[in-house]
Amino acid sequence: QVQLVESGGGLVQPGGSLTRSCAASGGTSNDYSIGWFRQAPGKEREGIACISSHDGATYYAPSVRGRFPLSRDYAKTTARLQMDGLKPEDTAAYFCAAGPPMGLSLRPNFYTNWGQGIQVSVSS
């Protein structure tokens, strides 16, 4: 079973950048797709980006498209979410998740294994 360990959160000023990483163990990087989600206090969990293991295709929510490119390092089974141009409204707990290798989805119920989540706060 795939286990996911996240790193790279923290506090950043508006306009700044962070790199979130999601390291997988217990499988190979070609066995699953990866999705990124975030949840702010009092709000539902929001899918923001995903990458397919089948062909490396990506899909983004409008709220982060063009600011949060997602990539995978197949040799090291690590997915990275580069968060640029951060805004205060990006403040949330961020999670990565692993799902079936085929397809792209921003729906939480598509994914079966979740990382522990890390807080990202954007404030001056």
Side-chain angles (χ1 to χ4, degrees):
Q1 187 174 2
V2 175
Q3 294 184 331
L4 304 175
V5 177
E6 301 179 46
S7 61
L11 174 65
V12 64
Q13 292 185 341
S17 297
L18 282 174
T19 301
R20 292 295 325 281
S21 294
C22 179
S25 62
T28 67
S29 61
N30 289 332
D31 289 340
Y32 43 84
S33 58
I34 292 289
W36 283 92
F37 296 80
R38 66 185 182 186
Q39 189 165 18
K43 295 188 177 180
E44 293 186 354
R45 187 164 295 191
E46 174 192 13
I48 58 172
C50 54
I51 185 167
S52 168
S53 69
H54 173 61
D55 56 6
T58 54
Y59 183 76
Y60 300 91
S63 57
V64 305
R65 191 172 296 147
R67 298 191 297 129
F68 290 8
L70 175 59
S71 62
R72 294 185 73 168
D73 181 340
Y74 283 90
K76 298 181 179 180
T77 66
T78 299
R80 289 186 176 85
L81 184 71
Q82 178 63 38
M83 305 168 67
D84 296 324
L86 283 160
K87 307 173 183 179
E89 52 263 42
D90 293 320
T91 295
Y94 283 72
F95 302 83
C96 66
M102 302 285 290
L104 290 171
S105 178
L106 295 181
R107 294 180 293 110
N109 59 9
F110 180 80
Y111 298 88
T112 55
N113 301 83
W114 291 80
Q116 80 275 19
I118 293 183
Q119 180 69 29
V120 172
S121 298
V122 185
S123 175
S124 56

